[in-house]
Amino acid sequence: MQVSDFDFPLPQELIAQRPLADRAAARMLVMERETGRRLSTDFHHFGEYLRPGDCLVLNDTKVIPARLWGHRPETLGRVQVFLLESRGGRQWQAFLKPGRRLRPGARVILEGDGSGLTVLEKAPDGACLVEFDQEDVLGLLEKYGKTPLPPYINREAEESDKEDYQTVYAVHPGSVACPTAGLHLTSEILAQLEEKGVSIARVTLHVGAGTFRPVESKTIEEHVMHEEQYFLLPEAASIINDTHARGGKVFCMGTTSVRTLETCADGETGRVMPGTGRTSIFLYPPKTLKVVDGLLTNFHLPQSTLLMLVCCLAPHAQVMAAYQQAVQEKYRFFSYGDCMLLLPPGRSLE
């Protein structure tokens, strides 16, 4: 398929710049995967579409305040440090801006406690391997770092974003972008689901900056996906496999959970196998999913790999029609926006 097949007109005013005061008040467009029938409601009704014996899969990664500022000691020129991923200990992969003259050996003194970092390596794409003076890099980020808001949010990160741009079930620090479908879920709704008999399985996929990278090829097949680190523990794998064995449905809260499960799926049986590693899985039509039955997801960028993934659950024409409806009805798009629920086969709107 052509990448242009996933394009659609999106008015800039529909791109949400701030979250709602009530996370669960977001509008939710519910769609039957089999028929394409749709219903507009809000996320407060999400639990009504899950049944006892179903499973909800959450990505419990935690967004780190990955933006720091500093200066070059020899020129006092200001430098922005955007951390991408830990490489172990004091070493991290990062983008430095402006970074053209920051070669291996260069120093940056950080604003805050006056400690610094040293550039160790520089890749052709501009990413650097840096080493901090401090051992506790995460502690440094908590004190002085800023939330790495997506590029389509046209404002500086505020203190409130540290909580707003984080799911209520986030545990494991490592992401530089939030698995934003989970932003709608409150602790109260999560407790109600468990009381109802819905099993909760937690996986971890640390979302990297590559999630915002545009698809620059003309055809889908030419695109090369970025890599992200994932963890699927035996307990979560058992919950998911047992759900299917009992006839229940597996719902994913967001595309990152989908990518984790489908990475760990056995191609013949559809069972997920526990494990950890790095995934560059690229899900696009006509590929079909082996594990995931239902999906709650936000509305994604035109021509994005995330929109392509959604089209693995329902026919392309139906998904694009749903997006057209969302635009017409002025749904809020992207990270702080509204959401869409794709129901498993056999489940209806009623």
Side-chain angles (χ1 to χ4, degrees), residues 265-288:
D266 182 277
E268 295 183 1
T269 66
R271 291 175 59 84
V272 293
M273 306 299 293
T276 180
R278 302 180 66 82
T279 180
S280 58
I281 190 171
F282 186 13
L283 299 169
Y284 57 87
K287 295 180 180 180
T288 57

Side-chain angles (χ1 to χ4, degrees), residues 199-222:
S199 300
I200 307 299
R202 289 170 170 83
V203 302
T204 306
L205 183 139
H206 292 317
V207 189
T211 191
F212 302 117
R213 192 176 75 189
V215 179
E216 297 178 345
S217 58
K218 290 185 178 180
T219 64
I220 295 176
E221 294 79 6
E222 294 176 281

Side-chain angles (χ1 to χ4, degrees), residues 299-334:
F299 290 95
H300 302 294
L301 288 159
Q303 300 189 33
S304 65
T305 60
L306 302 181
L307 176 54
M308 295 168 191
L309 182 154
V310 175
C311 291
C312 292
L313 282 98
H316 171 267
Q318 291 182 7
V319 174
M320 299 309 290
Y323 268 64
Q324 182 179 15
Q325 177 181 344
V327 170
Q328 291 173 344
E329 296 183 4
K330 299 188 183 304
Y331 273 66
R332 301 164 74 247
F333 274 66
F334 307 161

Side-chain angles (χ1 to χ4, degrees), residues 4 13 39 52 63 79 135 154 180 251 257 262 266 290 324:
S4 59
E13 61 267 23
L39 171 70
V63 179
V79 178
E135 293 285 349
N154 300 315
T180 51
F251 286 77
S257 298
E262 296 298 320
D266 182 277
K290 303 178 181 67
Q324 182 179 15

Side-chain angles (χ1 to χ4, degrees), residues 31-138:
M31 186 173 84
E32 296 176 0
R33 286 181 56 186
E34 289 181 310
T35 67
R37 290 177 60 218
R38 299 184 295 274
L39 171 70
S40 288
T41 180
D42 64 63
F43 187 79
H44 284 113
H45 296 280
F46 172 69
E48 298 172 11
Y49 294 96
L50 281 75
R51 299 175 183 173
D54 286 342
C55 168
L56 179 62
V57 183
L58 310 178
N59 178 9
D60 63 5
T61 186
K62 188 173 184 179
V63 179
I64 59 174
R67 291 191 192 277
L68 294 166
W69 279 263
H71 66 268
R72 298 186 64 186
E74 64 274 20
T75 65
L76 301 184
R78 202 160 189 248
V79 178
Q80 182 187 116
V81 181
F82 179 31
L83 298 186
L84 301 174
E85 186 176 350
S86 172
R87 293 303 192 199
R90 294 182 288 136
Q91 295 187 3
W92 284 69
Q93 186 185 25
F95 277 124
L96 306 180
K97 184 179 179 181
R100 186 167 57 89
R101 296 183 180 179
L102 288 170
R103 297 181 176 86
R107 290 277 297 166
V108 175
I109 305 302
L110 299 170
E111 294 179 4
D113 66 353
S115 65
L117 60 82
T118 303
V119 178
L120 301 180
E121 299 174 4
K122 191 170 184 179
D125 64 356
C128 297
L129 180 66
V130 302
E131 185 170 72
F132 285 83
D133 297 343
Q134 281 201 26
E135 293 285 349
D136 185 11
V137 178
L138 290 178

Side-chain angles (χ1 to χ4, degrees), residues 127 161 173 181 244:
D161 288 305
H244 276 156

